[in-house]
């Protein structure tokens, strides 16, 4: 029931945005991921405690373009927004019932501005605001901010490199983080794609290599580390509110083009899932807290992309 309500709310907002006369949705994506039953892993210095958890995740996202054009100096400029929703459910038992929240929600709204400088150089500036919460109690601690800039250069038509920095408060106080992008097309079939950070309600990275098997079939192998912070309700076992959740998934996926749609099934494994509870305070940002975990397990996914105005 909660999953259905979440999807209805996400789609309602996407449709509302599509009806605005000043914006155009260039892409809509809905996906799901599933981790089967995994063993609970207590902190290294604590006694063994039995527990298991099944992790399910639903994502909905839209890319919205407000303006794209060429100015009098022949520079391409684009201004737009990325809207993302994520619902994560943990079906857990044993000691995990006291440590893991049942439901976690992310709503992320980002703005970006892209401009070319000349034929070789371009830059991208972005700002993201996220509401990451269990919806038990909402205040300023549920809001997470990130912003940054990337300067990129096209060395050849098949190779471009970007570098920059961002600042975020996912772990409490504001922290700097390096940014790097690589787009390298090799031999006409292979492509290396590095995006750090990647689009996410938290801080995510994407390192992938893809192979264009056919004109409408693409295969990809990707590593997508991610950390998302939530503001959660404390209890007698988790006395701090800031939950930092790390995931290190490796996935093999295929993308099938069907008209304006792209269907993306995937399979892989999550090498690491860890979570810790701290305080969202600058004075506590370097404090180390005990990390709980979930065992390495398979991950299954299915995504659908729709580009309503693809030319």
């Amino acid at each position: 029931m909660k999953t259905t309500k979440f999807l209805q709310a996400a789609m309602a907002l996407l449709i509302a945005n599509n009806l605005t006369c000043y914006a155009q949705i260039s892409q809509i994506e809905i996906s799901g991921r599933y981790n089967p039953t995994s063993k609970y892993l207590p902190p290294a210095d604590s006694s063994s405690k039995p527990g298991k958890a099944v992790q399910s995740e639903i994502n909905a996202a839209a890319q919205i373009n407000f303006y794209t054009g060429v100015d009098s100096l022949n520079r391409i400029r684009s201004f737009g927004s990325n809207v993302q929703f994520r619902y994560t459910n943990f079906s857990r038992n044993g000691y995990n019932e006291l440590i893991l929240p049942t439901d976690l929600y992310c709503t992320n709204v980002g703005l970006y501005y892209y401009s070319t400088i000349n034929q070789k150089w371009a830059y991208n500036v972005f700002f993201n605001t996220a509401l990451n919460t269990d919806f038990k109690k909402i205040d300023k601690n549920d809001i997470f901010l990130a912003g940054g800039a990337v300067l990129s250069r096209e060395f050849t038509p098949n190779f471009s490199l970007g570098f920059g920095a961002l600042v975020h408060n996912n772990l409490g106080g504001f922290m700097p983080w390096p940014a790097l992008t690589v787009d390298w097309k090799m031999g006409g079939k292979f492509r290396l794609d590095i995006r750090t950070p990647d689009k996410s309600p938290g801080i995510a990275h994407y390192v992938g290599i893809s192979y264009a098997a056919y004109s409408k079939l693409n295969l990809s192998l990707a590593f997508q580390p991610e950390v998302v912070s939530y503001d959660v309700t404390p209890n007698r076992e988790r006395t701090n509110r800031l939950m930092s959740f790390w995931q290190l998934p490796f996935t093999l996926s295929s993308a099938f083009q069907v008209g304006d749609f792209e269907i993306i099934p995937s399979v892989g494994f999550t090498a690491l899932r860890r979570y810790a509870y701290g305080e969202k305070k600058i004075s506590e940002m370097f404090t180390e807290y005990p990390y709980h975990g979930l065992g390495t397990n398979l991950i299954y996914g299915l995504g659908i992309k729709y580009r309503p105005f693809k030319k």
Side-chain angles (χ1 to χ4, degrees):
M1 181 63 69
K2 290 183 178 181
T3 302
T4 302
K5 290 181 178 179
F6 174 79
L7 281 174
Q8 290 174 345
M11 290 305 299
L13 185 54
L14 295 180
I15 293 171
N17 274 314
N18 196 26
L19 294 177
T20 60
C21 59
Y22 297 107
Q24 184 181 83
I25 293 182
S26 57
Q27 179 175 289
I28 297 172
E29 180 178 3
I30 298 176
S31 64
R33 297 201 301 182
Y34 175 76
N35 281 98
T37 303
S38 304
K39 182 181 179 181
Y40 165 69
L41 304 176
D45 58 349
S46 66
S47 59
S48 177
K49 297 180 176 66
K52 296 180 180 180
V54 176
Q55 180 181 346
S56 303
E57 183 180 292
I58 297 173
N59 293 276
Q63 294 181 12
I64 306 169
N65 180 263
F66 298 123
Y67 168 80
T68 297
V70 180
D71 65 12
S72 59
L73 298 177
N74 207 33
R75 293 176 299 191
I76 300 173
R77 301 204 171 170
S78 180
F79 175 57
S81 175
N82 298 300
V83 181
Q84 295 175 287
F85 304 89
R86 175 179 295 178
Y87 167 64
T88 303
N89 172 263
F90 292 100
S91 300
R92 66 275 193 279
N93 58 43
Y95 190 67
N96 258 352
E97 291 189 23
L98 300 173
I99 296 296
L100 269 177
T102 305
D103 303 301
L104 295 171
Y105 302 86
C106 297
T107 302
N108 182 74
V109 178
L111 296 173
Y112 69 86
Y113 177 76
Y114 170 85
S115 175
T116 58
I117 301 174
N118 52 40
Q119 292 184 346
K120 295 294 184 180
W121 291 91
Y123 66 90
N124 182 33
V125 180
F126 55 91
F127 176 77
N128 295 322
T129 301
L131 178 69
N132 300 345
T133 181
D134 60 359
F135 273 119
K136 298 295 179 60
K137 180 180 178 182
I138 303 295
D139 59 24
K140 64 179 182 179
N141 289 308
D142 295 75
I143 299 175
F144 297 85
L145 306 174
V150 175
L151 181 68
S152 60
R153 187 184 192 280
E154 183 182 279
F155 291 89
T156 72
N158 292 326
F159 179 74
S160 63
L161 175 67
F163 53 90
L166 73 150
V167 178
H168 67 86
N169 69 336
N170 275 37
L171 302 179
F174 283 95
M175 296 178 61
W177 204 271
L180 175 69
T181 63
V182 177
D183 187 1
W184 187 10
K185 300 172 185 176
M186 300 171 285
K189 291 286 188 178
F190 290 93
R191 179 180 181 180
L192 174 65
D193 187 9
I194 299 176
R195 301 189 298 268
T196 173
D198 195 15
K199 297 181 181 69
S200 168
I203 300 299
H205 311 280
Y206 180 92
V207 180
I209 186 165
S210 60
Y211 175 70
Y214 303 100
S215 60
K216 295 186 178 181
L217 174 61
N218 202 63
L219 306 176
S220 299
L221 177 64
F223 174 50
Q224 298 171 269
E226 177 187 60
V227 56
V228 182
S229 295
Y230 300 87
D231 185 66
V232 298
T233 305
N235 59 26
R236 63 184 178 88
E237 291 295 336
R238 53 172 196 262
T239 57
N240 295 320
R241 295 178 53 175
L242 179 65
M243 176 187 179
S244 297
F245 185 55
W246 299 78
Q247 301 186 82
L248 301 181
F250 293 82
T251 57
L252 178 64
S253 63
S254 56
F256 302 90
Q257 293 283 349
V258 183
D260 291 337
F261 290 88
E262 189 173 330
I263 302 172
I264 312 170
S266 62
V267 64
F269 69 97
T270 307
L272 177 70
R273 280 179 292 166
R274 299 203 307 169
Y275 47 98
Y277 298 93
E279 288 294 328
K280 195 177 180 182
K281 298 177 181 177
I282 294 179
S283 59
E284 300 288 333
M285 62 187 299
F286 295 111
T287 302
E288 292 191 11
Y289 296 95
Y291 270 95
H292 308 266
L294 295 173
T296 299
N297 210 331
L298 297 175
I299 183 171
Y300 305 97
L302 178 63
I304 299 175
K305 290 183 181 180
Y306 172 55
R307 298 179 177 89
F309 298 100
K310 182 181 178 182
K311 296 181 181 180

